[in-house]
Amino acid sequence: MKQKVKVWDLPTRLFHWLLVLSVGFMWYGAQAGGGMLVWHLRCGLLVAGLIVFRLCWGLWGSDTARFSQFVRGLSSIRRYLQG
């Protein structure tokens, strides 16, 4: 019997991969210097936009992307650590 496992949706996966690529490119741009610093700044703005998107998607997005699905209260965390 196959069991269906919910995973992150496409927008969340794209967010994560774009964030990884952007941070990597920002690192490269900072090391290269010169004209690459303009692209470093643009990628920084992209990262800021991605974070705003993820915060919004975490509140109003699909059920697998919502923060309420994986962020628990302090009592749940305390019980987990004790158990």
Side-chain angles (χ1 to χ4, degrees), residues 26-45:
M26 285 176 62
W27 188 327
Y28 170 74
Q31 294 293 321
M36 291 299 292
L37 289 179
V38 173
W39 287 100
H40 176 85
L41 176 65
R42 290 176 183 165
C43 279
L45 293 173

Side-chain angles (χ1 to χ4, degrees), residues 47-68:
V47 167
L50 286 170
I51 290 172
V52 168
F53 163 76
R54 182 62 181 108
L55 289 173
C56 292
W57 195 246
L59 294 174
W60 300 295
S62 67
D63 60 339
T64 57
R66 289 191 184 176
F67 297 136
S68 62

